Amino acid sequence: MATAGPNSAGTGANDASVGTRARTNTGNITASDNTRASTTMVGVELTTQYLKATNFGFSIPSGATINGITVNVEKQASGSDDYRVRIVKGGTIGATDRAKAGAWGASDTTYTYGSSSDLWGETWTDADINSSTFGFAISAERPGFKVAGFCAVDHITITIDYTAGGASFIAKSNPRPNQAINRASTF
């Protein structure tokens, strides 16, 4: 088995298909540099829009079998939890959710989603992973009556575990199979 990455996101954007709060500075997720995509969380039962990370720049070899996808998110918050955590295939946010219970840490902490054998409920080709529209999406919530807070993401990386494609060959039949048998019997 081979591994590619961790590769950093090349692009960050809001996706309004879930949540009510947009993040600012979504492009800040491309490096671990303490500049963050963030939003404030004020009110009751608020959720953020997806922070959608794409353009990871993978070059998985043609014909490879994808074995697993691991995402690392460096994030922090005050009074916020995971709401939805999903993979992005072909620009579309998937249905399999990997949200974890519990509040985000108060200082930058890296959280891991998926694994070397987790396909996130999808079937993958090398072209899917190499596409600039492959990625990851995360939404946060401020459940209940917690005090006002914020949530921020500093960096997102993805690692791909794969098995390289085998050599292709065409088996040819012996046009004269009896000849080989006859020769073997003369010894």
Side-chain angles (χ1 to χ4, degrees):
M1 187 162 32
T3 301
N7 285 14
S8 297
T11 306
N14 281 305
D15 180 304
S17 61
V18 73
T20 56
R21 303 287 297 178
R23 285 185 173 81
T24 59
N25 304 311
T26 58
N28 288 347
I29 62 170
T30 61
S32 179
D33 59 3
N34 297 323
T35 59
R36 299 170 183 87
S38 61
T39 191
T40 56
M41 302 289 277
V42 180
V44 177
E45 300 291 340
L46 285 179
T47 58
T48 67
Q49 294 176 352
Y50 280 119
L51 174 58
K52 189 174 179 180
T54 55
N55 200 20
F56 282 84
F58 283 103
S59 296
I60 304 298
S62 179
T65 299
I66 307 304
N67 300 315
I69 301 168
T70 305
V71 181
N72 285 309
V73 182
E74 184 181 351
K75 60 186 181 174
Q76 65 173 275
S78 170
S80 298
D81 306 339
D82 283 350
Y83 179 61
R84 292 188 180 160
V85 174
R86 313 257 172 112
I87 205 71
V88 176
K89 181 179 181 182
T92 301
I93 296 171
T96 301
D97 193 56
R98 295 290 184 256
K100 295 183 178 192
W104 295 11
S107 61
D108 274 352
T109 304
T110 299
Y111 294 79
T112 300
Y113 302 94
S115 71
S116 62
S117 61
D118 186 352
L119 296 175
W120 297 69
E122 302 283 347
T123 301
W124 299 94
T125 67
D126 54 276
D128 294 327
I129 302 295
N130 294 340
S131 172
S132 63
T133 60
F134 165 71
F136 174 78
I138 187 168
S139 173
E141 68 177 343
R142 192 180 70 81
F145 292 94
K146 292 183 178 179
V147 297
F150 72 95
C151 65
V153 176
D154 186 16
H155 191 213
I156 298 175
T157 63
I158 295 181
T159 301
I160 305 297
D161 287 276
Y162 66 93
T163 303
S168 297
F169 68 93
I170 299 172
K172 293 186 177 181
S173 62
N174 184 350
R176 299 165 81 180
N178 291 336
Q179 185 179 20
I181 294 170
N182 290 339
R183 279 190 205 147
S185 64
T186 60
F187 291 107

